[in-house]
Amino acid sequence: MAKALMSYLDPGAIVLGVEAGNDQDVIRILSDRLHSLGYVKPSFAAAVLAREAALPTGLPLGLDNNVAIPHTDPEHVLKPGLAMATLCRPVAFCNMEDPEEKLQVSVVFLMALNDKDQQIEMLQEIALTIQSADTISALMRSTTVDDVTRLLA
């Protein structure tokens, strides 16, 4: 199931134990990784932040560790990729189902996809992966990129 995730998730775009003050910090850190790896245009981070403000991506899992899946329009993407961060301390993202509600998020998947259909498939892949509380807990305990790749492979 998660094989598709690993085909997009660049090991260089996996950041573990991120110290972030807020959701914008996390998005910028992951956007910078994707940009330095050649996945996205310089406009990507600002576009993700703008989209997140209008259409939040915090996903309530009913667990200790919620997830956010920020993304933006394909024109800011050079080639499809995925970045992921685990956070030292959760940061607040607005709930995609109820934008007035803030969720404490511990895992962030930043999608850089250049095809709308691909975006839906990737969201489904991530949703399948994060449905398991065990998977989320294991991601949070991961200390190396190899831990993550083994978990998601």
Side-chain angles (χ1 to χ4, degrees):
M1 134 188 97
K3 289 205 182 341
L5 282 187
M6 282 316 304
S7 63
Y8 288 102
L9 187 55
D10 189 309
I14 298 172
V15 193
L16 303 174
V18 171
E19 291 272 357
N22 57 40
D23 57 344
Q24 296 177 354
D25 289 350
V26 182
I27 289 170
R28 282 193 191 95
I29 289 165
L30 292 178
S31 294
D32 288 350
R33 284 290 177 108
L34 287 174
H35 182 251
S36 67
L37 293 165
Y39 286 92
V40 299
K41 298 176 183 175
S43 60
F44 182 77
V48 173
L49 290 168
R51 188 183 187 287
E52 189 67 27
L55 297 163
T57 62
L59 197 59
L61 300 179
L63 305 168
D64 295 337
N65 300 309
N66 294 300
V67 172
I69 312 171
H71 52 281
T72 192
D73 300 317
E75 70 254 21
H76 304 284
V77 176
L78 297 170
K79 64 181 183 179
L82 190 60
M84 189 206 95
T86 60
L87 309 181
C88 288
R89 285 176 310 286
V91 298
F93 273 77
C94 290
N95 184 338
M96 67 170 56
E97 294 167 5
D98 176 6
E100 299 300 306
E101 182 191 352
K102 299 275 191 194
L103 292 175
Q104 292 302 307
V105 166
S106 302
V107 179
V108 178
F109 289 94
L110 178 60
M111 295 193 314
L113 298 173
N114 52 7
D115 171 342
K116 287 275 191 219
D117 296 335
Q118 220 176 22
Q119 225 165 29
I120 292 163
E121 285 171 32
M122 182 59 62
L123 278 168
Q124 289 169 335
E125 283 294 330
I126 293 170
L128 282 172
T129 302
I130 62 179
Q131 278 175 344
S132 159
D134 293 343
T135 302
I136 296 295
S137 297
L139 280 175
M140 292 303 299
R141 288 191 308 272
S142 295
T143 54
T144 67
V145 170
D146 284 346
D147 290 346
V148 173
T149 53
R150 269 196 303 277
L151 192 61
L152 297 180

